[in-house]
Structure formats: C-alpha cells, structure tokens
C-alpha cells in the first residue's frame, strides 16, 4: 500500500499503549492492530478524529504517502 | 378399509410442511431444517443407489417375485418415451363422478411423458441405458451432498463466504451436466429405436404409439444459469463484506 500508517511512532512519542488507545477511541484491539499492520482498506473520519484527539496530533502525523 | 400407506404419506408431508412453517419463525430454524432435510435425501439417495445396484447384481431381469401374482421391479433401467393415445371420433371418455356432477370431454387424444423399461443384447445401447440411469442418480446424490454442506455452513454462520459461491457453482454445473447427459443419452436412444407400438390392441377404438423423446428440462437449465449469477453476486457480496470489515 502506498499509504503508510505511522501509528506506532505516534504511540511511542506519546508513551501510550495500543490497548489504552483502543479503549479511548472505542474500537477493539484487533481492529487497531489491523490498522497498525496496514491491512486496513479504509479509515473512517470518525476514527481518525478520535485518534487525533486522543494522541493530540494531526492526521499527517499518522498517515504518510510513499510512492510504490 | 383405511388406506394406511396414503394416510402415513399425507401425515408425513403435513408434519414436514408444518415443521418448515414453524422453523421460518425461529432464528436459524429454516437453515437447520433444510440441512436436516437434505442430509436425509442424501442418505436416502445413497440407499436407493445401493438397492438399485444390488438389484442389478443379485437378481435376474431386475425383478423379485414377492408372490405368484406380484413382482417387485427395480425401477431404474428406463428409457424416456412419449406415449400417445388416440381414440376414434365416436369414442367418448366416460366419467364416473363421485357426486351428481355432469362431466364430459371432447378430448380425442392423450399424450404423456413416461419411461420404458428396456432390455437389449446390444452392448452400446445397454451400456447407455446403464450409464443414463446411474449417472443421474450419482449426480443427484452429489447435488444433495453439496446442498447439505451448504446449509450446514449457513446454519453455523449466516454470512457471505467464498465457500458458498463454490458450492453454488458446483450445484449449478452439476445440474447442467445432469440435463446435458440426459439429452445426449436420449439422442442415443432415439437413434436405436424409432417407433414402438402394439401388434394388436384389444380395443380397436384406441391407437397407442410410443416414440422416443428428448429428456431435457429447460427450467432446470435456466435455474442453473441463474444459480451461476447468484454465485457471482455472493462473491461480490463477500468482497464488499471484507472491505467493510477492514474499514476501521
């Protein structure tokens, strides 16, 4: 995928665990790990909003475009 | 005298129907019911196949004499024919109505599709009859097996999956192969005999002729083609479902 999810980096910067983030934004850890591993086909704006709110960051900090 | 077999048959059909109607209103009831029904038909088909084969192997002429007057036929080695009965113009059908109803008919001919139990020494024809019979039974058993496993999948998990598409494609192709094999075999039978009649009818007012017929059911072929489309639709639904599942 050309879009890379840098959620790990942001989580490390904020010193937050995936479990905590999943609990805050209200999705299951399984779904969060799908998002982190890059298997996800799409992200809902509501989820993105919740992640940005929880990690206090911009969408650009989480998502990155890389040419294949 | 009460017709006991008829009563049992009617009771069975009635209870099956009422159970089906009852299971519609239960969660997962209908799929479980259909799974049970098709496993029953599947094992029944296997039993029928075993009985038919053992009739062929262990008996002469495929018959068992149960008593002096009655014989038990293995109703398998059949060739599709069209039976045509025609009456003379002055012969009228006589009705025996149960009530005081007046019944009459202008019909002067009757045509019906039937099967003829045929025996022959020609090895091509006899092997064609043999294949036609047992291929149909085996294909039907396969179809019932696929239906059984399809409804088992649905009764455990009512959702779209690639397995369903595979099973439905199998059923559709088996139905088409079944009908095509019946068509091919009936063409072969038609090449070997043209017209079957009787030397002398007891009643000269009736003419009987039996002709070979093409044994093919177009409704089943159209149904099978629609099943292919349904399989494609289910595949698309599966794709959409996975996409939806992977949207976080």
């Amino acid at each position: 995928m050309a879009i890379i999810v840098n959620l790990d980096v942001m989580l490390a910067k904020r010193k937050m665990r995936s479990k905590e983030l999943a609990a805050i934004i209200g999705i299951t850890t399984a779904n969060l790990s799908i998002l982190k591993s890059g298997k996800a086909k799409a992200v809902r704006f509501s989820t993105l909003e919740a992640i940005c709110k929880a990690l206090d960051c911009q969408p650009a900090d989480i998502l990155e475009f890389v040419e294949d | 005298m009460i017709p006991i077999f008829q009563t049992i048959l009617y009771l069975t059909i009635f209870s099956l129907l009422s159970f089906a109607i009852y299971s519609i209103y239960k969660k997962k009831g209908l799929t479980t019911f259909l799974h049970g029904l098709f496993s029953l038909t599947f094992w029944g088909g296997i039993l029928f196949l075993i009985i038919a084969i053992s009739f062929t192997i262990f008996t002469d002429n495929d018959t068992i004499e149960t008593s002096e007057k009655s014989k038990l036929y293995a109703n398998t080695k059949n060739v599709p024919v069209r039976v045509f009965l025609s009456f003379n113009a002055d012969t009228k059908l006589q009705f025996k109505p149960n009530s005081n109803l007046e019944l009459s008919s202008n019909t002067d001919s009757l045509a019906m599709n039937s099967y003829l139990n045929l025996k022959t020494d020609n090895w091509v024809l006899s092997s064609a009859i043999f294949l036609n019979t047992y291929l149909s039974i085996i294909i039907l058993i396969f179809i019932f097996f696929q239906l059984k496993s399809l409804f088992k999948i649905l009764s455990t998990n009512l959702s779209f999956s690639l397995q369903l598409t595979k099973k439905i494609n199998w059923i559709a192709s088996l139905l088409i192969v079944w009908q095509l094999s019946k068509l091919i075999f009936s063409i072969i039978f038609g090449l070997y005999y043209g017209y079957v009649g009787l030397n002398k009818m007891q009643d000269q007012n009736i003419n009987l002729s039996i002709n070979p017929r093409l044994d093919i059911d177009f409704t089943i072929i159209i149904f099978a083609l629609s099943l292919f489309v349904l399989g494609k639709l289910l595949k698309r639904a599966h794709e959409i479902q996975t996409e939806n599942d992977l949207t976080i």
Side-chain angles (χ1 to χ4, degrees), chain B residues 170-226:
Chain B
W170 259 106
I171 292 166
S173 19
L174 280 172
L175 281 174
I176 286 177
V177 167
W178 177 40
Q179 288 303 318
L180 283 185
S181 75
K182 273 171 82 175
L183 178 70
I184 289 164
F185 281 121
S186 50
I187 289 170
I188 293 172
F189 299 144
L191 291 177
Y192 275 92
Y193 67 93
Y195 162 81
V196 185
L198 290 179
N199 287 336
K200 191 185 169 195
M201 288 293 289
Q202 281 189 333
D203 190 340
Q204 293 294 331
N205 287 325
I206 300 175
N207 294 315
L208 172 84
S209 71
I210 303 172
N211 297 295
R213 89 179 139 94
L214 293 182
D215 192 18
I216 186 167
D217 198 343
F218 278 105
T219 18
I220 288 180
I221 288 184
I222 288 164
F223 177 66
L225 292 176
S226 324

Side-chain angles (χ1 to χ4, degrees), chain B residues 15-38:
Chain B
S15 55
L16 265 176
L17 264 177
S18 52
F19 195 68
I21 291 166
Y22 167 70
S23 63
I24 289 170
Y25 296 102
K26 266 182 75 182
K27 197 188 172 192
K28 284 185 180 176
L30 197 58
T31 44
T32 320
F33 170 74
L34 285 173
H35 172 233
L37 189 71
F38 283 119

Side-chain angles (χ1 to χ4, degrees), chain B:
Chain B
M1 196 187 122
I2 307 160
I4 191 140
F5 285 111
Q6 269 186 15
T7 319
I8 290 172
L9 188 72
Y10 289 152
L11 276 177
T12 316
I13 291 170
F14 180 73
S15 55
L16 265 176
L17 264 177
S18 52
F19 195 68
I21 291 166
Y22 167 70
S23 63
I24 289 170
Y25 296 102
K26 266 182 75 182
K27 197 188 172 192
K28 284 185 180 176
L30 197 58
T31 44
T32 320
F33 170 74
L34 285 173
H35 172 233
L37 189 71
F38 283 119
S39 22
L40 211 71
T41 26
F42 170 66
W43 291 112
I46 285 182
L47 196 72
F48 180 77
L49 183 66
I50 291 169
I51 290 170
I53 287 174
S54 50
F55 252 93
T56 314
I57 295 170
F58 297 116
T59 61
D60 304 325
N61 280 339
D62 286 0
T63 49
I64 292 176
E65 278 190 40
T66 47
S67 67
E68 277 184 21
K69 282 182 183 171
S70 64
K71 277 179 182 172
L72 196 64
Y73 288 94
N75 209 13
T76 48
K77 287 185 180 172
N78 291 327
V79 164
V81 287
R82 188 161 179 84
V83 182
F84 198 76
L85 274 172
S86 58
F87 323 121
N88 283 354
D90 50 332
T91 313
K92 283 274 179 278
L93 286 175
Q94 285 181 5
F95 289 91
K96 283 181 182 169
N98 289 329
S99 57
N100 291 328
L101 205 65
E102 284 277 330
L103 285 172
S104 67
S105 170
N106 291 328
T107 309
D108 59 354
S109 64
L110 279 174
M112 53 204 131
N113 292 339
S114 182
Y115 292 90
L116 199 67
N117 196 308
L118 203 67
K119 286 165 200 144
T120 172
D121 289 331
N122 184 314
W123 70 271
V124 180
L125 189 56
S126 60
S127 54
I129 294 170
F130 184 82
L131 270 178
N132 178 37
T133 308
Y134 289 103
L135 207 65
S136 295
I137 299 172
I138 288 166
I139 286 174
L140 276 176
I141 286 172
F142 266 112
I143 289 171
F144 284 132
F145 175 72
Q146 297 289 354
L147 279 169
K148 175 174 99 84
S149 45
L150 187 137
F151 283 109
K152 190 172 187 188
I153 294 168
L154 282 178
S155 65
T156 48
N157 183 18
L158 196 69
S159 68
F160 306 111
S161 70
L162 284 180
Q163 269 180 310
L164 288 185
T165 314
K166 255 187 200 170
K167 299 249 174 257
I168 284 173
N169 282 351
W170 259 106
I171 292 166
S173 19
L174 280 172
L175 281 174
I176 286 177
V177 167
W178 177 40
Q179 288 303 318
L180 283 185
S181 75
K182 273 171 82 175
L183 178 70
I184 289 164
F185 281 121
S186 50
I187 289 170
I188 293 172
F189 299 144
L191 291 177
Y192 275 92
Y193 67 93
Y195 162 81
V196 185
L198 290 179
N199 287 336
K200 191 185 169 195
M201 288 293 289
Q202 281 189 333
D203 190 340
Q204 293 294 331
N205 287 325
I206 300 175
N207 294 315
L208 172 84
S209 71
I210 303 172
N211 297 295
R213 89 179 139 94
L214 293 182
D215 192 18
I216 186 167
D217 198 343
F218 278 105
T219 18
I220 288 180
I221 288 184
I222 288 164
F223 177 66
L225 292 176
S226 324
L227 274 185
F228 273 125
V229 178
L230 184 69
K232 273 190 182 158
L233 202 68
L234 280 179
K235 200 177 177 184
R236 183 82 191 99
H238 171 72
E239 283 168 12
I240 290 170
Q241 197 184 26
T242 42
E243 213 169 271
N244 187 48
D245 287 347
L246 288 175
T247 300
I248 314 272

